């Protein structure tokens, strides 16, 4: 079945460091891929998405490229800020109307 | 953008009582709502999928008689935890979607059963 494997955390970075959070997926067909962010005590917010191969999703300095050949959707940011500290979830949806599959989440802490 | 409101944001109740959590889509009609449970430092576990006007579809291992879901309108779904026990203490999150849009999540409800 469909699944998402996400890099385990926690990840601790200094401010302005480069961030990569790895995400790979298993799915039949051509899923849509998402990154969600969860700040402490809150629900999830959509960070970015990509709906087909080679699409690049981007938002707030974060980017992820849908790589069909490597079945990956790694999240990157060139210079993290303290305010980026949160838990990041990779997710996929195989077919419209079907459920989302979430990775286990990666906790990021950015220190000044 | 689309907003999903979840209420209450936190609740403390005594063992044996029931608790109702509301999930509302504020500026769109949600064709489907999902209820998740999240344990500390873990991912979201889908509990059930709720479509307006029909019975909810529960995931394997989720007790439908314990976690009652009602989706009375296109903007409101409720989750009632019946006869709550300490092991039901968790973070419950709802989400809603319209058509093929990405999920929009509520801010979650922290339930503590004493």
């Amino acid at each position: 079945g469909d699944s998402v494997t996400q890099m385990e955390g926690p990840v601790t970075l200094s401010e302005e460091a480069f961030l990569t959070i790895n995400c790979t997926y298993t799915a039949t067909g051509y899923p849509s891929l998402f990154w969600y962010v969860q700040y402490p005590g809150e629900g999830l917010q959509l960070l970015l998405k990509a709906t087909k191969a080679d699409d690049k999703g981007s938002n707030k300095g974060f980017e992820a490229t849908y790589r069909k050949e490597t079945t990956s959707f790694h999240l990157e940011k060139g210079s993290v800020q303290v305010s980026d500290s949160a838990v990041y979830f990779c997710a996929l949806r195989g077919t419209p109307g079907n459920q989302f599959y979430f990775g286990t989440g990666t906790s990021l802490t950015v220190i000044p | 953008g689309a907003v999903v409101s979840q209420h209450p944001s936190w609740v403390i109740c005594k063992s044996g009582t029931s608790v109702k959590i509301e999930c509302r889509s504020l500026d769109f009609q949600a064709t489907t709502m999902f209820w998740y449970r999240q344990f500390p430092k873990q991912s979201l576990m889908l509990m059930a999928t709720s479509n307006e006007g029909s019975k909810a579809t529960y995931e394997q291992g989720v007790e439908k008689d314990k976690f009652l879901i009602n989706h009375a309108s296109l903007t409101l779904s409720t989750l009632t935890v019946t006869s709550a026990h300490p092991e039901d203490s968790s973070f419950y999150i709802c989400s809603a979607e319209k058509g093929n849009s990405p999920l929009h999540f509520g801010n979650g409800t922290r339930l503590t059963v004493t």
Side-chain angles (χ1 to χ4, degrees):
Chain A
D2 294 357
S3 66
V4 175
T5 301
Q6 188 174 341
M7 169 179 152
E8 288 192 22
V11 174
T12 302
L13 294 174
S14 296
E15 204 165 21
E16 299 184 1
F18 184 85
L19 168 71
T20 299
I21 301 178
N22 290 337
C23 172
T24 57
Y25 67 90
T26 300
T28 54
Y30 304 96
S32 294
L33 302 173
F34 308 84
W35 276 100
Y36 281 86
V37 58
Q38 184 181 32
Y39 297 102
E42 298 184 10
L44 276 67
Q45 301 174 26
L46 177 65
L47 181 60
L48 54 83
K49 67 174 182 177
T51 57
K52 61 182 187 297
D54 298 325
D55 269 2
K56 177 186 282 188
S58 61
N59 185 25
K60 300 180 181 179
F62 291 89
E63 293 183 340
T65 301
Y66 189 145
R67 302 285 188 200
K68 187 172 183 296
E69 63 276 14
T70 54
T71 61
S72 65
F73 193 55
H74 304 321
L75 182 68
E76 297 181 336
K77 186 174 185 181
S79 176
V80 294
Q81 305 300 313
V82 172
S83 57
D84 294 327
S85 298
V87 180
Y88 293 82
F89 291 92
C90 185
L92 75 78
R93 184 179 222 185
T95 304
N98 284 2
Q99 68 163 301
F100 279 65
Y101 293 89
F102 289 89
T104 52
T106 301
S107 174
L108 169 67
T109 300
V110 180
I111 54 177
Chain B
V3 177
V4 174
S5 173
Q6 190 172 336
H7 178 80
S9 55
W10 60 270
V11 58
I12 301 172
C13 70
K14 292 185 177 180
S15 187
T17 62
S18 295
V19 174
K20 180 183 285 188
I21 303 170
E22 292 187 349
C23 180
R24 293 180 184 272
S25 56
L26 296 185
D27 57 356
F28 67 102
Q29 293 185 324
T31 51
T32 306
M33 288 186 173
F34 301 89
W35 286 96
Y36 294 86
R37 183 174 179 176
Q38 185 180 32
F39 294 97
K41 299 184 180 181
Q42 294 189 25
S43 189
L44 284 73
M45 181 191 79
L46 179 66
M47 299 175 66
T49 303
S50 171
N51 293 295
E52 185 265 340
S54 62
K55 290 184 178 180
T57 302
Y58 289 81
E59 295 300 304
Q60 190 173 6
V62 178
E63 298 176 61
K64 62 178 69 175
D65 293 332
K66 180 160 189 66
F67 298 100
L68 300 178
I69 292 173
N70 184 284
H71 195 156
S73 74
L74 284 171
T75 60
L76 174 64
S77 176
T78 60
L79 167 68
T80 301
V81 183
T82 61
S83 186
H85 292 284
E87 58 266 30
D88 298 325
S89 298
S90 193
F91 193 56
Y92 293 88
I93 305 176
C94 73
S95 66
E97 69 170 356
K98 176 183 178 183
N100 192 27
S101 64
L103 287 180
H104 302 283
F105 287 85
N107 276 342
T109 297
R110 172 73 59 195
L111 170 63
T112 302
V113 184
T114 61

